[in-house]
Amino acid sequence: MLSTLQGVEAVEAVLDATPETPTPVICIIENKIVRKPLIKAVEDTHAVAKAIEAKDFNRAMKLRDAEFAEYHNAYMTTTATDQPEMRLPKSKQLRIGIIHVGAPAGGMNSATRAAVAYCLTRGHTPVALHNGFPGLCRHHDDKPLGSVREMSWLDVEGWVSKGGSEIGTNRGLPSADLPKTAYCFDKYQIDALFIIGGFEAFTAVSELRKARPDHPEFRIPIVLLPATISNNVPGTEYSVGSDTCLNALVGYCDAIKQSASASRRRVFVVETQGGKSGYIATIAGLSIGALAVYTPEEGINVRMLARDIEHLRVSFAKDRGQSRAGKLILRNEHASDTYTTEVIANMIREEAGGRFESRFAIPGHVQQGGTPSPMDRVRAVRLAVKCITFLEGFAGKSKDEIMKDPMSMSVIGIKGASVVFGAMEKVETEETDWKDRRPKDESWLQLKTIVDTLSGRPKPDDCCETCGKGK
């Protein structure tokens, strides 16, 4: 996917160039593809090598981008907990609750391991709240082992490569029993809360924020690390787990495409997850060269299907056997209530008139992935360390001071080329589409046009509205 987007950016750079334009190199910073002058990039690379040769490692680190420096810092602070020089004084040490909310996503365990390791290094006490808020309320005092457990390094050492959620996750929200949730926070002396999860976790933070006036126990710093395969959490352009999902889905689609290619004249309609956000379908479509992608943001109508079926007819008519490329169409599970994945496949088969075949495939929960991808692991570690560091900033403050600070309830996010913390109240009121459970402004929407352009999909204005044929 990244190489495709870099290729598109390179073509645009050539088209935009003038004789005076410096030769660019296409780079990636965080979640953003940017152009940088090639000569300057080469000079910076040589400067790093010279600094290392001179053993000026501080300068070498400064010459690298901030992302690299933060990864290095996260590695150094989470691979060993016996670093006395990093330990905070007793007055700054916190009991930090760690909870997973929502569906499992690759990288949840990596983030938890990093948070625990960093807490222990700094002198904090990491406390796992097992099985989400329902687990906390119903089983906190179970015997012999309740759902509230202090964590040690040995508990989490092997979690970095594990998928799912080792402390258990649940879609239940604190609003199911706010008094009991508050009681548990007080009983187990939770000084700060680190939440990992998707839109349910986002909703949980919103509920805890609104309950602060009636429940002083919630007047503690709380931060959310978005982790969901749907990548639909407001306040960020990237959620931990979405890359693992894409790897699983792309692998599945590659296998399906192999079958479609073997028979030459076959179309597969593949259903993707992602809730009411078309991110997964769009990025997967970009990665596999899908002929069309149907998303909830755009919806599906009969004219759209007519255009795509006509495009398939033309594509197969031009194929004289030289190309063995199968055709894939991706459809988000909530793109339409009427035009289901099976219905679309049947419509294509009917309209094909025997000239080509159509099948549908539903990978289902395969998309949640198994082993987390390297990107999800390293980003989970880095963001988790930044979250705990963020919570440390509130140590020593009174409950009233914390409640008055809008940043005391925040969501960490990657936006463009930066990692930012967004105040929860601002994010939920200004950036959230609560009805469709996604951000109001989805940064990836522009990529849908690239998918259509690369596949040669005809534009609505170029086709007859009735039959879908080109004008």
Side-chain angles (χ1 to χ4, degrees):
M1 181 268 288
L2 291 176
S3 59
T4 301
L5 292 178
Q6 283 181 293
V8 171
E9 184 67 22
V11 172
E12 290 182 349
V14 171
L15 295 175
D16 294 342
T18 65
E20 294 77 29
T21 304
T23 302
V25 58
I26 310 302
C27 306
I28 302 173
I29 301 177
E30 298 292 0
N31 228 39
K32 190 174 183 180
I33 292 176
V34 298
R35 304 175 197 174
K36 287 189 173 184
L38 177 60
I39 299 300
K40 181 67 167 58
V42 172
E43 289 174 353
D44 289 345
T45 303
H46 288 164
V48 172
K50 289 177 181 178
I52 293 174
E53 187 176 355
K55 300 190 184 304
D56 188 353
F57 300 115
N58 288 332
R59 173 169 167 72
M61 190 64 73
K62 288 179 181 178
L63 287 168
R64 300 296 297 265
D65 60 86
E67 187 176 359
F68 176 83
E70 289 184 5
Y71 280 133
H72 178 263
N73 177 63
Y75 171 76
M76 296 302 292
T77 55
T78 60
T79 52
T81 58
D82 54 341
Q83 303 180 58
E85 71 281 1
M86 292 191 64
R87 202 170 186 84
L88 294 171
K90 283 282 186 182
S91 61
K92 297 288 186 179
Q93 294 176 10
L94 304 169
R95 282 177 61 84
I96 299 179
I98 303 173
I99 189 169
H100 295 176
V101 181
M108 277 184 159
N109 293 320
S110 301
T112 304
R113 172 188 173 276
V116 169
Y118 185 78
C119 282
L120 295 173
T121 298
R122 301 287 278 171
H124 305 304
T125 302
V127 183
L129 310 180
H130 286 252
N131 301 315
F133 286 102
L136 171 67
C137 294
R138 299 171 191 166
H139 305 292
H140 66 95
D141 56 356
D142 283 4
K143 304 297 181 184
L145 194 63
S147 60
V148 181
R149 307 172 202 168
E150 293 184 7
M151 304 182 80
S152 70
W153 173 245
L154 290 178
D155 291 329
V156 300
E157 186 180 10
W159 288 11
V160 69
S161 60
K162 290 188 175 182
S165 169
E166 289 296 302
I167 66 172
T169 184
N170 197 297
R171 294 180 184 273
L173 298 172
S175 56
D177 197 341
L178 281 170
K180 190 64 171 289
T181 304
Y183 166 79
C184 291
F185 275 34
D186 181 60
K187 179 178 180 179
Y188 296 101
Q189 301 176 340
I190 303 300
D191 298 319
L193 186 65
F194 178 37
I195 301 182
I196 305 171
F199 202 90
E200 284 82 7
F202 182 83
T203 305
V205 177
S206 175
E207 290 181 353
L208 293 174
R209 184 189 67 79
K210 293 173 182 175
R212 273 179 162 181
D214 299 322
H215 299 282
E217 296 84 358
F218 301 148
R219 298 173 190 174
I220 59 175
I222 298 176
V223 65
L224 166 64
L225 194 166
T228 168
I229 67 171
S230 304
N231 196 30
N232 63 338
V233 178
T236 185
E237 296 174 3
Y238 168 85
S239 297
V240 170
S242 58
D243 187 66
T244 299
C245 169
L246 284 168
N247 285 351
L249 180 58
V250 168
Y252 181 93
C253 289
D254 285 344
I256 292 291
K257 196 167 187 176
Q258 182 175 310
S259 171
S261 299
S263 62
R264 292 185 181 169
R265 296 182 176 276
R266 178 171 291 174
V267 182
F268 270 95
V269 183
V270 180
E271 182 173 294
T272 73
Q273 292 186 338
K276 291 190 176 181
S277 170
Y279 173 82
I280 292 298
T282 301
I283 303 302
L286 192 65
S287 302
I288 65 171
L291 182 133
V293 174
Y294 300 134
T295 65
E297 289 83 356
E298 188 178 24
I300 306 174
N301 57 59
V302 70
R303 291 183 296 278
M304 182 186 297
L305 292 173
R307 289 195 303 272
D308 291 336
I309 292 172
E310 180 60 25
H311 180 44
L312 281 169
R313 284 200 193 100
V314 173
S315 297
F316 282 117
K318 291 180 179 178
D319 179 9
R320 303 301 180 186
Q322 302 94 331
S323 172
R324 300 183 66 86
K327 311 292 185 186
L328 261 66
I329 293 174
L330 299 188
R331 174 193 172 275
N332 172 279
E333 59 188 344
H334 293 294
S336 171
D337 292 332
T338 303
Y339 299 107
T340 65
T341 305
E342 184 175 2
V343 165
I344 293 174
N346 289 340
M347 288 176 68
I348 293 172
R349 184 185 304 113
E350 182 70 22
E351 294 297 321
R355 284 169 289 185
F356 51 90
E357 299 177 357
S358 177
R359 300 283 190 275
F360 72 95
I362 303 176
H365 285 77
V366 167
Q367 294 166 79
Q368 288 187 354
T371 304
S373 71
M375 179 180 285
D376 277 335
R377 294 189 207 185
V378 297
R379 281 192 166 175
V381 170
R382 177 184 171 216
L383 296 178
V385 169
K386 288 182 76 72
C387 284
I388 303 301
T389 304
F390 178 80
L391 294 175
E392 286 178 344
F394 294 89
K397 292 186 178 182
S398 68
K399 287 186 178 293
D400 288 339
E401 287 177 316
I402 291 173
M403 184 175 176
K404 290 177 183 177
D405 188 345
M407 292 300 293
S408 64
M409 278 200 173
S410 295
V411 53
I412 191 172
I414 295 176
K415 288 189 173 182
S418 304
V419 176
V420 298
F421 286 92
M424 188 63 196
E425 184 174 7
K426 182 176 184 294
V427 174
E428 64 178 278
T429 55
E430 297 180 11
E431 301 179 26
T432 305
D433 179 351
W434 286 100
K435 176 178 173 291
D436 290 325
R437 292 166 53 90
R438 64 192 184 207
K440 288 181 179 178
D441 181 18
E442 296 178 291
S443 61
W444 56 266
L445 282 175
Q446 58 185 336
L447 302 181
K448 183 73 166 51
T449 303
I450 297 177
V451 175
D452 292 343
T453 300
L454 295 180
S455 70
R457 190 183 186 194
K459 297 178 181 179
D461 293 341
D462 298 335
C463 301
C464 171
E465 285 193 11
T466 306
C467 66
K469 293 182 179 180
K471 293 180 181 178

